[in-house]
Amino acid sequence: MSISMIGIDHNMAPIDIRALFAFTKKNAGEAMERLKEMKGIYGCVILSTCNRLEIWASVDDEVCPSLYEDLCSLKGIEDDKYRKYFVARQDREAVEHLFYLTSGLKSQILGEDQILTQVKEALSLAREHYTADGVLEVLFRMAVTAGKKIKTEVPFSHGNPSVIHQAIHTLEKEGYVVQGKRCMVIGNGEMGKVAAQTLQEAGADVTVTVRQYRSGVVNIPFGCKRINYGERTDYLPECDLAVSATASPNFTLTQELFESLNLTKPLILIDLAVPRDIEPTIGALEGITLYDMDSFHMDETPEELQKNLEAAGSIVSSQMDEFYQWLDGRDIIPRIQEIKAEAVNDLNLRIAKILKSTPMEESHRKKLLETVDTAAGKVINKLIFGLRDSLNQEAFLECVEGLEKIYEE
């Protein structure tokens, strides 16, 4: 059994290519169920975010399934031209990638912690659909543990480095001041709420669209106003900046919609969705500046952030070692148990004649044998696991193989 993954992200493909392979939460659940039914796949987890799509699977080494071909089958894509945008990783390389990813060290914006929540949600969804096997369950849980440890022990000095924070930073570098601007956020999901709260904290006048306006039912960030989603068109001419961050498969803002608007001032649009929320051709209209997910990145890593990243890397390394110990132990423990059983039986045979000739009641003899079995098992465990702790993995496995040969018939 091996751990395999394929992935496409912001470093390898533009947003429109990534959108072809993106999944909604509902679609991801259905896709994982179909994947697990495919030959050679024991378990799977799908991670689909604005910046990346990754499929994780524990696979049969003899079957060697193609995760790329399986993904294309799920998406109804027959053209092989997209293969070049994907990277495949296996076993140790795959494990290392997930740990660094979950810790925010491979994100579009270094150190961002939104990916930690996304990985947790991916595992939770796999559990709901019964697609995560034991190995993927432990792998993802330990990766999340590493991410949480970094979040509490290594607070990144530049604050919450989410995409909207970087967007505001980019605008400020270009001379645009968010404070006092009238902003609309389309979408009240996780990213929409973060965007609204961040803009509000930056001093903007923020209004959030909601699908159903029922006071007290739909929560929006404190200090923000709300309007019905259907009123977004009427409110746009009053805005200086609009952010769209929904999971909708359709555009929330189209060029046709803008052709009927009377805009009297410049408008900045920020599209934080994959697939896109805002029709790209809108960016060519006069007075409109359009940004998407690929518009924002960190040009360089500040010195203080670099130190924090090194500290985070140390935590990741430690947590990865713990996973490998579990994984190696998972395969070796059954073999150790067999060696222990053979050794205990060997001891029983050697002392059987002595015990038979020793005067005592049968019940006492039986209890003594049980005590000897338990003690012998503990001694053998201590010896074998002591070897494991004092030798490197290769030398320890050689010792186990040698012990197994002792009792081969």
Side-chain angles (χ1 to χ4, degrees), residues 39-73:
K39 188 176 181 180
I41 295 180
Y42 299 127
C44 60
V45 178
I46 289 179
L47 173 65
S48 185
T49 74
C50 293
N51 286 326
R52 70 186 69 250
L53 177 281
E54 295 184 353
I55 293 182
W56 290 81
S58 52
V59 301
D60 187 330
D61 293 330
E62 295 183 2
V63 177
C64 297
S66 169
L67 294 181
Y68 173 77
E69 292 174 4
D70 290 341
L71 172 61
C72 288
S73 175

Side-chain angles (χ1 to χ4, degrees), residues 3-200:
I3 299 171
S4 294
M5 67 79 63
I6 59 165
I8 185 172
D9 66 20
H10 56 90
N11 291 315
M12 296 178 285
I15 187 169
D16 291 325
I17 300 298
R18 303 201 305 271
L20 294 173
F21 297 94
F23 288 94
T24 63
K25 183 176 180 180
K26 179 182 177 181
N27 291 340
E30 295 171 350
M32 285 189 289
E33 290 181 3
R34 290 175 58 189
L35 270 174
K36 193 176 180 183
E37 293 174 355
M38 294 181 180
K39 188 176 181 180
I41 295 180
Y42 299 127
C44 60
V45 178
I46 289 179
L47 173 65
S48 185
T49 74
C50 293
N51 286 326
R52 70 186 69 250
L53 177 281
E54 295 184 353
I55 293 182
W56 290 81
S58 52
V59 301
D60 187 330
D61 293 330
E62 295 183 2
V63 177
C64 297
S66 169
L67 294 181
Y68 173 77
E69 292 174 4
D70 290 341
L71 172 61
C72 288
S73 175
L74 292 173
K75 286 292 187 178
I77 295 174
E78 298 180 358
D79 199 326
D80 198 50
K81 67 181 181 181
Y82 300 112
R83 189 186 292 268
K84 64 183 179 181
Y85 295 107
F86 283 82
V87 62
R89 300 180 178 90
Q90 191 164 351
D91 293 330
R92 185 169 289 268
E93 184 184 2
V95 169
E96 182 176 283
H97 168 75
L98 182 63
F99 272 84
Y100 275 91
L101 174 67
T102 306
S103 301
L105 307 183
K106 283 198 170 187
S107 296
Q108 184 175 14
I109 300 171
L110 284 176
E112 66 99 358
D113 55 13
Q114 197 170 26
I115 187 65
L116 175 61
T117 300
Q118 293 165 337
V119 171
K120 287 168 59 179
E121 290 176 346
L123 176 58
S124 178
L125 188 63
R127 287 170 177 163
E128 290 177 18
H129 291 267
Y130 304 100
T131 64
D133 67 336
V135 172
L136 292 180
E137 170 77 28
V138 174
L139 171 61
F140 272 70
R141 279 198 290 107
M142 287 192 171
V144 168
T145 296
K148 288 180 178 178
K149 198 174 180 67
I150 288 170
K151 188 174 181 179
T152 56
E153 297 184 14
V154 189
F156 289 97
S157 60
H158 59 296
N160 182 358
S162 64
V163 177
I164 189 63
H165 282 81
Q166 187 62 21
I168 292 174
H169 177 68
T170 299
L171 290 174
E172 289 176 345
K173 285 175 63 176
E174 295 174 356
Y176 188 88
V177 179
V178 174
Q179 185 176 9
K181 295 295 192 297
R182 181 168 291 181
C183 303
M184 176 172 61
V185 175
I186 302 173
N188 193 38
E190 181 69 24
M191 186 167 287
K193 288 179 179 177
V194 171
Q197 183 173 342
T198 303
L199 288 167
Q200 196 273 334

Side-chain angles (χ1 to χ4, degrees), residues 173-239:
K173 285 175 63 176
E174 295 174 356
Y176 188 88
V177 179
V178 174
Q179 185 176 9
K181 295 295 192 297
R182 181 168 291 181
C183 303
M184 176 172 61
V185 175
I186 302 173
N188 193 38
E190 181 69 24
M191 186 167 287
K193 288 179 179 177
V194 171
Q197 183 173 342
T198 303
L199 288 167
Q200 196 273 334
E201 290 173 351
D205 177 0
V206 182
T207 297
V208 179
T209 70
V210 294
R211 290 286 182 175
Q212 291 182 331
Y213 179 36
R214 294 179 180 174
S215 180
V217 175
V218 180
N219 294 319
I220 64 173
F222 180 78
C224 298
K225 293 173 286 189
R226 71 176 79 196
I227 58 173
N228 285 327
Y229 174 78
E231 298 175 36
R232 68 194 186 287
T233 306
D234 297 331
Y235 191 64
L236 265 175
E238 302 180 36
C239 296

